Amino acid sequence: MPADYPPEIVKDGQVTIVALGPEYENLDEPRLDALTDVLLQVAETASPPVVVLDLSHTSFFGSAFIEVIFRMWNRLNHREGGRFCICGLSEYCMEVLEVTHLDQLWETYPNREAAVRAINS
């Protein structure tokens, strides 16, 4: 993944939102190198440690990206007050989380607004 396409990182009140744009439609392993560093950095530095991962533009991801999400969640989970959720999952991506039972570990929401509202409560 060229460094020209960093994910969008914005704050909505106390929530840090990491939104992957259309360039991340297919999150195969070659695209993950630069993205992994960014996601783990956000997990380490978000203040407060409350993060929404917006995958609205992502149609496909595999086990390598699941590992990255897990590492991100784990870092946030070990910080005091750490919270994490995912929004905007495609039908395929949601099915991947359901089959792996990760939908029971990570809260998921249909869109960014619902995620921010829920994680703030």
Side-chain angles (χ1 to χ4, degrees):
M1 182 95 250
D4 299 355
Y5 300 108
E8 174 190 24
I9 302 170
V10 296
K11 291 282 280 196
D12 185 340
Q14 296 295 304
V15 179
T16 299
I17 300 165
V18 180
L20 305 188
E23 357 6 89
Y24 295 98
E25 178 183 4
N26 185 354
L27 271 170
D28 52 10
E29 289 191 44
R31 294 185 178 264
L32 283 181
D33 291 336
L35 180 60
T36 297
D37 293 340
V38 171
L39 294 179
L40 296 180
Q41 178 75 19
V42 168
E44 293 286 335
T45 61
S47 181
V50 179
V51 176
V52 171
L53 180 58
D54 185 347
L55 299 179
S56 298
H57 294 286
T58 303
S59 299
F60 170 84
F61 60 70
S63 59
F65 186 60
I66 289 174
E67 179 187 345
V68 172
I69 298 172
F70 186 85
R71 290 172 61 198
M72 182 181 192
W73 167 80
N74 197 37
R75 287 186 186 190
L76 284 163
N77 203 39
H78 282 91
R79 294 179 61 197
E80 186 172 334
R83 298 206 51 205
F84 173 77
C85 70
I86 303 171
C87 69
L89 289 162
S90 70
E91 188 175 320
Y92 174 83
C93 294
M94 188 64 208
E95 186 176 317
V96 169
L97 293 187
E98 289 169 353
V99 166
T100 58
H101 302 288
L102 290 169
D103 63 317
Q104 296 173 20
L105 182 62
W106 301 321
E107 296 177 57
T108 60
Y109 297 93
N111 56 52
R112 185 185 296 195
E113 294 76 21
V116 169
R117 197 170 38 249
I119 208 164
N120 269 326
S121 60

